[in-house]
Amino acid sequence: MAPMPPMPPVAPMAPAPRRLGAGAIVGIVVGVVFGLPALSGVLLYVSSGGQGDRHHAPSVSGGKDSERYRLTVPHTLLDGQYILAQDLSQAMDDKLAGQRNGRNEHDMKMVSGQYATTSGDEQQTMLLAGSYGEIDDPHRALDSMLRGMTENEGVTVTTPAKEITPPGAQTPVTCQVLAATRAGQSNSVAVCGWSDHSTVATVSVPGDSVDLDAAAMKTLRIRNEARVRA
């Protein structure tokens, strides 16, 4: 019997695309917006959502069957104090390709906008970044987003994440302060965020003098302007 011809080589299987793990969402820091070289580019953070997740009891609006919301990038924020300088939504949403569904987040779409003040001697910047879709555990989603920001090279947490309820408000937000250091230069950014069963987002404001209570109040106002009924 004639010998069988050798089998053709089998191509190695391509690795499965990364998916959003339980409790994971996209954590974003765009350093170019803030002039922080240590945070240049975009950080996409995808966690496994294990038992190690920290829970800071961030804002949760309504129950699982409550009104659904989506995030927008308004042309102005805070009664016109900030104007949209660059809509980053499409570029950021493209980074979610193949990662829109996970055990905790489903059919997620990302929005992000860079804003600048419309008046004053020194222009200030701000970044709104978040996702909307269906979120099983809002606490875990925001936790992952905040934690993702801390895992960029050169970034340290100077004020750990904590819940803040501004005076007169009923909804708390979770805030932290980060420091980015490179080549001996250090810069700070305050990050406050909220989450519910439809949306998870952060508002990042750079500056060496950080008033978290004021940042939390701004974040709640921005939440009311950027979050709309689906």
Side-chain angles (χ1 to χ4, degrees):
M1 183 173 63
M4 296 184 62
M7 295 288 293
V10 178
M13 294 182 63
R18 295 186 70 184
R19 310 292 288 181
L20 284 174
I25 197 63
V26 181
I28 302 168
V29 175
V30 182
V32 175
V33 174
F34 303 129
L36 305 179
L39 301 182
S40 60
V42 178
L43 170 65
L44 294 180
Y45 181 75
V46 179
S47 79
S48 62
Q51 295 300 317
D53 282 359
R54 304 187 310 272
H55 290 271
H56 301 293
S59 164
V60 178
S61 299
K64 182 67 176 176
D65 298 323
S66 63
E67 184 73 43
R68 311 306 297 174
Y69 294 91
R70 60 184 177 88
L71 289 177
T72 64
V73 180
H75 182 64
T76 62
L77 287 174
L78 299 176
D79 296 326
Q81 295 180 39
Y82 285 82
I83 190 169
L84 181 64
Q86 187 177 9
D87 189 336
L88 305 167
S89 299
Q90 188 62 57
M92 300 297 100
D93 191 62
D94 288 345
K95 299 291 184 180
L96 270 182
Q99 301 183 53
R100 298 184 188 278
N101 295 281
R103 288 174 291 176
N104 189 55
E105 298 87 17
H106 316 282
D107 299 323
M108 303 303 291
K109 183 175 178 59
M110 187 163 188
V111 299
S112 181
Q114 172 193 354
Y115 290 83
T117 50
T118 56
S119 62
D121 296 334
E122 184 176 349
Q123 190 176 68
Q124 297 179 340
T125 59
M126 178 174 66
L127 179 71
L128 167 66
S131 294
Y132 67 92
E134 183 178 349
I135 301 172
D136 296 332
D137 185 341
H139 300 272
R140 180 168 288 177
L142 179 56
D143 182 83
S144 293
M145 193 168 188
L146 294 174
R147 177 154 41 91
M149 293 182 176
T150 70
E151 299 199 357
N152 203 347
E153 182 179 356
V155 178
T156 57
V157 179
T158 56
T159 301
K162 62 179 180 179
E163 183 183 283
I164 298 176
T165 303
Q170 296 181 342
T171 302
V173 295
T174 299
C175 299
Q176 65 184 12
V177 180
L178 309 177
T181 303
R182 177 173 288 181
Q185 180 183 1
S186 181
N187 297 274
S188 295
V189 57
V191 182
C192 292
W194 78 83
S195 59
D196 52 50
H197 287 290
S198 302
T199 67
V200 56
T202 58
V203 175
S204 303
V205 181
D208 294 329
S209 179
V210 177
D211 183 343
L212 282 187
D213 290 332
M217 179 64 78
K218 283 184 177 180
T219 299
L220 276 183
R221 291 175 61 191
I222 290 171
R223 171 179 175 269
N224 291 336
E225 295 179 42
R227 195 184 71 144
V228 299
R229 290 184 177 179

